[in-house]
């Protein structure tokens, strides 16, 4: 019975996965294997655009790669139909990126464009996009994920940066996933692991102004004297004097003092024994002090919005890629409304990529080992020849 129940449960879960997959919609999927990709993706005519190629990277798989150092390249693809985000429970953007070894400063940013707001031929780094997401890696800055939104004609950035643990040496492919939920939360995955756990868009980004403000102090408010003041009744003792030095009354004018040559004789000064250094009155509570207690007041500019995720409709996806050195490779681009669909795609593709890269590392290590062995043998032969001389 237990085995039968387990089998039934497995079949039920499999059926649910199939139903979900059938319901999922893929808005864009690109692997750059088809030579016609360049006709579907329009490159911007903005100044200093770098050249893009699609070389073989992993077996027969291709990827999008800039080939000119220090230049940014921007390509845009129009979606077959706009994405109405309010009708979707999720929006998922996913892609892989292979950074070149010893990158000086390289970026790969994906930008989702709002319907009617993006002209593919005139896109430039300052063009506003609804959603911007992608890694940036510079030697002077730890690898970071850029994530920002365009909300009511202004750029909304995350309150804290998203760091990435990417080594500067050793070229490896990494998987990046952004998930935006219809309940105004979001997630970021790096290599299918949580880089940002599900968080609120409203709390992590400055979409909205603060709901409350501190009440300003009235103009007549006077706190110059503060909570404590000098005690006006506190006086130094009768023996205290402000003079640090006094004349020596015991001093006597020398008999041979020459008034004409030296002027009038003046007794020398001594340290005043009654002088107290830096005497100050004691501090007491100010009876006239009124502490201002700022009670929060409603911000008139604050308007609640429970549709922060709904920045669409979206109708395009742009890729901004480049840096120094050239050679970053982008692939496996996916825009869908299903996290499950993205997970299935990534598991299939990313596992194959990691396997191929592991094989390459193993082969390179084996080749290095063979070279080392040959060098050792050559060294031993030379040593033997030297001894026989």
């Amino acid at each position: 019975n237990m085995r039968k129940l387990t089998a039934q449960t497995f079949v039920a879960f499999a059926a649910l996965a199939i139903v979900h997959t059938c319901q999922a919609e893929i808005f864009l999927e690109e692997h750059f294997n088809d030579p016609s990709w360049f006709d579907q993706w329009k490159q911007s005519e903005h100044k200093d655009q770098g050249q893009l190629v699609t070389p073989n990277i992993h077996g027969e798989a291709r990827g999008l790669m800039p080939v000119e150092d220090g230049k940014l390249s921007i390509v845009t693809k129009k979606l077959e139909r706009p994405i109405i985000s309010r009708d979707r429970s999720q929006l998922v953007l996913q892609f892989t990126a292979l950074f070149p070894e010893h990158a000086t400063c390289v970026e790969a940013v994906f930008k989702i464009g709002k319907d009617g707001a993006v002209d593919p031929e005139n896109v430039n780094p300052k063009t506003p996009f609804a959603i911007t997401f992608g890694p940036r890696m510079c030697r002077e800055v730890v690898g970071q994920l850029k994530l920002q939104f365009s909300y009511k004609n202004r750029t909304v950035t995350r309150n804290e940066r998203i760091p990435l643990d990417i080594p500067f040496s050793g070229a490896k492919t990494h998987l990046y996933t952004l998930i935006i939920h219809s309940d105004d939360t979001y997630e970021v995955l790096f290599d299918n692991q949580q880089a940002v756990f599900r968080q609120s868009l409203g709390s992590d980004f400055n979409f909205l102004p603060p709901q409350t403000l501190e009440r300003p102090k009235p103009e007549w408010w006077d706190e110059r004297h503060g909570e404590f003041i000098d005690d006006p009744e506190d006086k130094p003792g009768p023996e205290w004097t402000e003079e640090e030095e006094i004349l020596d009354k015991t001093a006597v004018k020398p008999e041979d003092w020459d008034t004409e040559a030296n002027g009038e004789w003046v007794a020398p000064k001594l340290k005043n024994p009654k002088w107290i250094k830096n005497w100050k009155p004691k501090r007491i509570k100010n009876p006239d002090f009124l502490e201002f207690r700022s009670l929060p007041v409603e911000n008139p500019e604050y308007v609640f919005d429970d549709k922060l995720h709904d920045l669409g409709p979206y109708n395009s996806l742009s890729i901004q890629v480049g840096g120094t050195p050239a050679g970053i490779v982008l692939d496996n681009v996916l825009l869908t409304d299903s996290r499950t669909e993205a997970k299935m795609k990534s598991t299939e593709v990313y596992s194959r990529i990691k396997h191929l890269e592991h094989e390459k590392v193993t082969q390179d290590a084996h080749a290095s080992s063979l070279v080392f062995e040959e060098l050792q043998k050559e060294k031993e032969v030379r040593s033997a020849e030297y001894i026989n001389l």
Side-chain angles (χ1 to χ4, degrees), residues 182-350:
S182 59
D183 63 351
D184 283 354
T185 60
Y186 75 104
E187 299 173 72
V188 175
L189 279 66
F190 177 61
D191 290 345
N192 270 334
Q193 301 296 318
Q194 298 280 168
V196 176
F197 287 90
R198 192 164 179 171
Q199 299 288 337
S200 165
L201 288 170
S203 61
D204 279 13
F205 294 83
N206 57 342
F207 280 95
L208 305 175
Q211 188 173 357
T212 59
L213 299 172
E214 288 189 0
R215 180 163 53 99
K217 294 181 181 180
E219 294 182 0
W220 50 266
W221 202 268
D222 185 3
E223 288 185 356
R224 286 175 299 175
H225 297 298
E227 187 176 358
F228 293 90
I229 59 172
D230 293 341
D231 184 358
E233 303 297 328
D234 187 23
K235 305 292 183 183
E239 74 282 356
W240 183 84
T241 176
E242 293 184 0
E243 296 180 4
E244 185 176 354
E245 294 180 327
I246 57 175
L247 295 176
D248 184 0
K249 296 180 179 181
T250 62
V252 179
K253 179 180 178 180
E255 294 181 357
D256 58 349
W257 183 265
D258 187 346
T259 303
E260 292 183 1
N262 301 321
E264 290 294 332
W265 179 84
V266 179
K269 289 188 175 184
L270 299 174
K271 190 80 172 179
N272 186 355
K274 296 182 179 181
W275 179 76
I276 301 175
K277 183 180 181 181
N278 298 329
W279 182 90
K280 290 182 180 180
K282 65 182 181 181
R283 304 281 287 173
I284 62 172
K285 197 86 170 177
N286 182 2
D288 297 326
F289 173 76
L290 295 175
E291 182 180 0
F292 180 85
R293 298 186 181 277
S294 178
L295 299 176
V297 295
E298 293 294 327
N299 183 357
E301 297 182 0
Y302 174 82
V303 179
F304 178 69
D305 188 351
D306 61 353
K307 301 294 182 184
L308 299 178
H309 69 283
D310 183 14
L311 302 174
Y314 314 114
N315 77 331
S316 67
L317 181 66
S318 297
I319 304 174
Q320 178 177 303
V321 60
T324 303
I328 182 173
V329 181
L330 304 178
D331 200 3
N332 307 302
V333 182
L334 179 67
L335 186 60
T336 180
D337 63 355
S338 169
R339 177 178 185 164
T340 303
E341 180 71 19
K343 176 74 173 182
M344 292 173 60
K345 295 280 186 181
S346 66
T347 301
E348 175 187 349
V349 175
Y350 191 55

Side-chain angles (χ1 to χ4, degrees), residues 44-61:
S44 172
E45 297 180 2
H46 188 66
K47 61 181 181 180
D48 296 329
Q49 285 290 302
Q51 183 183 357
L52 294 166
V53 297
T54 54
N56 287 85
I57 303 300
H58 301 106
E60 298 181 356

Side-chain angles (χ1 to χ4, degrees), residues 3-4 34 38 43 96 125 133 154 166 176 185 200 208 223 234 316:
R3 290 181 179 179
K4 184 177 180 180
D34 190 338
F38 198 77
Q43 184 160 13
T96 58
F133 175 66
R154 64 183 181 87
I166 305 178
Y176 304 85
T185 60
S200 165
L208 305 175
E223 288 185 356
D234 187 23
S316 67

